[in-house]
Amino acid sequence: MDAPDDFDPKPGQAEPVAPGIRRVLCNNPSAFTYRGTNTYLLGASGGVAVIDPGPEDSAHLEAILAALGPGEHVSHILVTHAHRDHSPLAGPLAAETGAKVWAYGDATAGQSEVMRRLAASGAMGGGEGADQGFVPDEIVPDGGTIPGDGWSVTGLWTPGHFGNHMAFDAQGEVFSGDLVMGWSTSIVSPPDGDLTDFMASCERLAARAPARLWPGHGAAIEAPADRITWLLGHRRTREAAILEALSEGPADAATLADRIYTDIPRALLPAATRNVLAHLVDLMGKSRVAPQTELSAETVFAITG
């Protein structure tokens, strides 16, 4: 269910994509950001919310400000999560506009207890792309509502890709960050990412029956239920493949990734390995596998029983 390669907006150019929603694509394409980070402007007059301002990029800052129409100003800056392609520009944009930055919490907020312990040990590595210095001005509690000029959003704490990940629901138009995207599955890399939380967050988002999803990268998702169902099924299929590979004998995440991810460029294997590690930690929590040594990124796992 790979997305067709037809999403190619011009970076830096504000594009109306739905009533009261504009998108400005940042010019930071990569294997992990697709065409770049989507920054959204919510509102049609007066105070406008900027959702995911993006990386610290002066040209993108200018593009966001240029997207404002007559009589408009930035009243709120909302950040889905503290990755460096989403949150660093929040500070410069706040300094330029006087708007406050709103998010679930800082870069360490929302980590599960098991991931907090793994992060403290340092044995799992991780931290890829985290904006460690991110601290919002305002904390948005799970289910909290942020009102604006002719718009309002409800914050949904949706950890999994990142502990402080929050989606923003504007009456069914949901800004889903990196939890659900159409062009790719999300990277879940412990200890910043937690697959157990990821699956629960996807199920929670599906239960809200959103009309449409506006992801952090790639095109809008017009059939959210179908996409989320596919993503959950994909993860379960990957889990089954890991268990099948382990039935041949104990192995570490890198060995399993090399066996299972046969259809991706070799340069992406390290990211695939982190995904496998996330599955192994999740399976360990379900008592399906057990580490053969103290838990780390190189630990060999075996099927239990």
Side-chain angles (χ1 to χ4, degrees):
M1 191 170 172
D2 290 334
D5 192 17
D6 58 0
F7 177 75
D8 199 18
K10 184 178 179 180
Q13 182 171 302
E15 178 184 6
V17 291
I21 301 174
R22 285 160 281 178
R23 179 179 59 213
V24 183
L25 179 70
C26 183
N27 190 22
N28 63 327
S30 76
F32 300 105
T33 61
Y34 196 38
R35 305 301 189 200
T37 300
N38 292 328
T39 294
Y40 297 100
L41 277 68
L42 178 64
S45 63
V48 171
V50 173
I51 301 172
D52 277 352
E56 193 160 357
D57 181 306
S58 59
H60 192 54
L61 174 60
E62 292 175 8
I64 293 170
L65 297 174
L68 298 170
E72 292 184 338
H73 65 279
V74 177
S75 60
H76 297 71
I77 302 167
L78 312 182
V79 174
T80 62
H81 64 293
H83 267 152
R84 288 199 296 266
D85 54 328
H86 289 260
S87 58
L89 198 61
L93 182 60
E96 186 73 26
T97 63
K100 290 185 176 181
V101 179
W102 300 66
Y104 181 75
D106 65 19
T108 65
Q111 278 187 324
S112 63
E113 183 57 35
V114 62
M115 294 303 168
R116 194 176 298 278
R117 291 198 305 269
L118 291 175
S121 74
M124 292 292 281
E128 306 92 341
D131 181 9
Q132 299 290 1
F134 175 75
V135 180
D137 300 308
E138 300 287 344
I139 301 297
V140 185
D142 184 27
T145 298
I146 306 170
D149 287 345
W151 58 265
S152 69
V153 299
T154 299
L156 307 173
W157 180 46
T158 46
H161 172 70
F162 201 83
N164 78 342
H165 195 288
M166 177 164 267
F168 296 103
D169 186 349
Q171 292 75 54
E173 303 284 351
V174 177
F175 300 90
S176 57
D178 285 1
L179 178 71
V180 177
M181 301 179 288
W183 71 281
S184 175
T185 58
S186 295
I187 295 293
V188 180
S189 176
D192 302 317
D194 184 316
L195 187 64
T196 306
D197 284 349
F198 178 84
M199 299 291 279
S201 291
C202 284
E203 290 170 348
R204 181 189 184 197
L205 186 57
R208 292 185 71 89
R212 184 162 41 189
L213 301 180
W214 299 98
H217 310 279
I221 299 168
E222 303 289 347
D226 291 346
R227 182 58 177 168
I228 295 171
T229 296
W230 185 90
L231 288 171
L232 290 170
H234 172 76
R235 289 288 180 178
R236 292 177 183 128
T237 298
R238 191 67 75 193
E239 175 185 286
I242 290 169
L243 289 171
E244 182 179 355
L246 279 175
S247 70
E248 301 173 8
D252 62 10
T255 300
L256 292 167
D258 191 53
R259 292 178 189 170
I260 296 167
Y261 285 84
T262 58
D263 57 347
I264 64 171
R266 306 303 289 177
L268 295 180
L269 265 179
T273 298
R274 302 300 300 185
N275 263 326
V276 170
L277 191 59
H279 274 282
L280 291 168
V281 174
D282 177 60
L283 286 165
M284 187 179 69
K286 299 173 182 176
S287 300
R288 302 289 303 280
V289 305
Q292 302 301 283
T293 58
E294 186 175 348
L295 195 58
S296 74
E298 291 77 34
T299 294
V300 171
F301 288 81
I303 292 178
T304 58

